Short mmCIF file of all heavy atoms in Angstrom, two decimals:
data_model
loop_
_atom_site.label_atom_id
_atom_site.label_comp_id
_atom_site.label_asym_id
_atom_site.label_seq_id
_atom_site.Cartn_x
_atom_site.Cartn_y
_atom_site.Cartn_z
N ASP W 701 1.92 -76.05 -113.48
CA ASP W 701 2.75 -76.12 -114.68
C ASP W 701 4.01 -76.89 -114.30
O ASP W 701 4.83 -76.41 -113.54
CB ASP W 701 3.10 -74.71 -115.15
CG ASP W 701 4.00 -74.70 -116.36
OD1 ASP W 701 4.31 -75.79 -116.89
OD2 ASP W 701 4.40 -73.61 -116.77
N PHE W 702 4.15 -78.08 -114.83
CA PHE W 702 5.29 -78.91 -114.47
C PHE W 702 6.42 -78.82 -115.48
O PHE W 702 7.27 -79.68 -115.56
CB PHE W 702 4.83 -80.37 -114.30
CG PHE W 702 3.89 -80.53 -113.15
CD1 PHE W 702 2.53 -80.69 -113.38
CD2 PHE W 702 4.36 -80.51 -111.86
CE1 PHE W 702 1.66 -80.85 -112.31
CE2 PHE W 702 3.49 -80.66 -110.78
CZ PHE W 702 2.13 -80.83 -111.01
N GLY W 703 6.44 -77.74 -116.26
CA GLY W 703 7.50 -77.56 -117.25
C GLY W 703 8.82 -77.29 -116.58
O GLY W 703 8.91 -77.04 -115.37
N PRO W 704 9.88 -77.31 -117.34
CA PRO W 704 11.22 -77.08 -116.77
C PRO W 704 11.34 -75.65 -116.23
O PRO W 704 10.76 -74.72 -116.77
CB PRO W 704 12.16 -77.31 -117.94
CG PRO W 704 11.34 -77.14 -119.16
CD PRO W 704 9.94 -77.52 -118.78
N SER W 705 12.11 -75.51 -115.15
CA SER W 705 12.29 -74.19 -114.56
C SER W 705 13.63 -73.57 -114.92
O SER W 705 14.06 -72.62 -114.32
CB SER W 705 12.16 -74.28 -113.04
OG SER W 705 13.15 -75.15 -112.53
N THR W 706 14.30 -74.15 -115.90
CA THR W 706 15.58 -73.60 -116.34
C THR W 706 15.45 -73.12 -117.77
O THR W 706 14.48 -73.40 -118.45
CB THR W 706 16.69 -74.67 -116.26
OG1 THR W 706 16.33 -75.76 -117.11
CG2 THR W 706 16.89 -75.16 -114.85
N GLY W 707 16.45 -72.42 -118.23
CA GLY W 707 16.44 -71.93 -119.60
C GLY W 707 16.19 -70.44 -119.63
O GLY W 707 16.07 -69.77 -118.62
N GLY W 708 16.15 -69.91 -120.82
CA GLY W 708 15.96 -68.48 -120.98
C GLY W 708 17.27 -67.74 -120.90
O GLY W 708 18.34 -68.33 -120.69
N THR W 709 17.20 -66.46 -121.05
CA THR W 709 18.40 -65.64 -121.00
C THR W 709 18.26 -64.57 -119.93
O THR W 709 17.15 -64.20 -119.55
CB THR W 709 18.66 -64.94 -122.35
OG1 THR W 709 17.53 -64.11 -122.67
CG2 THR W 709 18.86 -65.95 -123.47
N THR W 710 19.37 -64.10 -119.46
CA THR W 710 19.40 -63.03 -118.48
C THR W 710 19.89 -61.77 -119.16
O THR W 710 20.87 -61.80 -119.91
CB THR W 710 20.37 -63.38 -117.33
OG1 THR W 710 19.93 -64.60 -116.73
CG2 THR W 710 20.41 -62.29 -116.29
N GLN W 711 19.20 -60.68 -118.91
CA GLN W 711 19.63 -59.40 -119.47
C GLN W 711 20.03 -58.50 -118.32
O GLN W 711 19.33 -58.39 -117.32
CB GLN W 711 18.50 -58.75 -120.26
CG GLN W 711 18.12 -59.52 -121.50
CD GLN W 711 17.03 -58.82 -122.29
OE1 GLN W 711 16.49 -57.81 -121.87
NE2 GLN W 711 16.74 -59.34 -123.45
N ASN W 712 21.16 -57.85 -118.47
CA ASN W 712 21.62 -56.91 -117.47
C ASN W 712 21.32 -55.50 -117.95
O ASN W 712 21.60 -55.15 -119.09
CB ASN W 712 23.12 -57.07 -117.23
CG ASN W 712 23.46 -58.42 -116.62
OD1 ASN W 712 22.73 -58.90 -115.77
ND2 ASN W 712 24.54 -59.02 -117.05
N GLY W 713 20.73 -54.72 -117.05
CA GLY W 713 20.39 -53.34 -117.40
C GLY W 713 21.52 -52.39 -117.06
O GLY W 713 22.64 -52.80 -116.75
N GLY W 714 21.20 -51.13 -117.12
CA GLY W 714 22.19 -50.10 -116.80
C GLY W 714 22.30 -49.89 -115.30
O GLY W 714 21.85 -50.71 -114.50
N GLN W 715 22.87 -48.80 -114.93
CA GLN W 715 23.09 -48.47 -113.53
C GLN W 715 21.78 -48.00 -112.90
O GLN W 715 21.06 -47.21 -113.47
CB GLN W 715 24.14 -47.37 -113.42
CG GLN W 715 24.41 -46.97 -112.00
CD GLN W 715 25.82 -47.25 -111.60
OE1 GLN W 715 26.63 -47.59 -112.42
NE2 GLN W 715 26.11 -47.12 -110.34
N SER W 716 21.51 -48.48 -111.72
CA SER W 716 20.31 -48.09 -110.99
C SER W 716 20.54 -46.71 -110.37
O SER W 716 21.63 -46.41 -109.89
CB SER W 716 20.03 -49.10 -109.89
OG SER W 716 19.02 -48.62 -109.03
N PRO W 717 19.50 -45.87 -110.35
CA PRO W 717 19.65 -44.57 -109.69
C PRO W 717 19.67 -44.69 -108.17
O PRO W 717 19.94 -43.73 -107.47
CB PRO W 717 18.41 -43.80 -110.16
CG PRO W 717 17.41 -44.84 -110.47
CD PRO W 717 18.19 -46.03 -110.96
N MET W 718 19.40 -45.87 -107.67
CA MET W 718 19.38 -46.12 -106.23
C MET W 718 20.80 -46.26 -105.71
O MET W 718 21.64 -46.88 -106.33
CB MET W 718 18.61 -47.41 -106.01
CG MET W 718 18.27 -47.71 -104.62
SD MET W 718 16.94 -46.64 -104.12
CE MET W 718 16.85 -47.20 -102.46
N ILE W 719 21.07 -45.69 -104.57
CA ILE W 719 22.38 -45.82 -103.94
C ILE W 719 22.21 -46.76 -102.76
O ILE W 719 21.38 -46.53 -101.88
CB ILE W 719 22.91 -44.45 -103.45
CG1 ILE W 719 23.07 -43.51 -104.65
CG2 ILE W 719 24.22 -44.62 -102.71
CD1 ILE W 719 23.40 -42.09 -104.27
N ASP W 720 22.96 -47.84 -102.76
CA ASP W 720 22.84 -48.83 -101.71
C ASP W 720 23.05 -48.21 -100.33
O ASP W 720 23.98 -47.43 -100.12
CB ASP W 720 23.87 -49.96 -101.90
CG ASP W 720 23.54 -50.84 -103.10
OD1 ASP W 720 22.36 -50.83 -103.52
OD2 ASP W 720 24.43 -51.52 -103.59
N GLY W 721 22.17 -48.58 -99.42
CA GLY W 721 22.35 -48.19 -98.02
C GLY W 721 21.89 -46.79 -97.67
O GLY W 721 22.13 -46.35 -96.56
N THR W 722 21.23 -46.08 -98.57
CA THR W 722 20.78 -44.74 -98.23
C THR W 722 19.26 -44.68 -98.28
O THR W 722 18.63 -45.31 -99.11
CB THR W 722 21.35 -43.68 -99.19
OG1 THR W 722 20.89 -43.93 -100.51
CG2 THR W 722 22.85 -43.64 -99.15
N THR W 723 18.71 -43.90 -97.40
CA THR W 723 17.28 -43.63 -97.40
C THR W 723 17.08 -42.14 -97.14
O THR W 723 17.97 -41.48 -96.58
CB THR W 723 16.53 -44.43 -96.31
OG1 THR W 723 17.06 -44.08 -95.03
CG2 THR W 723 16.67 -45.93 -96.52
N ARG W 724 15.96 -41.66 -97.58
CA ARG W 724 15.61 -40.26 -97.33
C ARG W 724 14.25 -40.23 -96.66
O ARG W 724 13.39 -41.05 -96.98
CB ARG W 724 15.59 -39.49 -98.64
CG ARG W 724 16.98 -39.35 -99.24
CD ARG W 724 16.98 -38.74 -100.61
NE ARG W 724 16.34 -37.44 -100.64
CZ ARG W 724 15.89 -36.87 -101.75
NH1 ARG W 724 16.00 -37.48 -102.92
NH2 ARG W 724 15.33 -35.69 -101.73
#
Side-chain angles (χ1 to χ4, degrees):
D701 178 4
F702 294 104
S705 60
T706 60
T709 60
T710 301
Q711 294 182 354
N712 295 321
Q715 179 117 10
S716 170
M718 191 74 182
I719 299 172
D720 290 340
T722 62
T723 60
R724 292 173 56 199

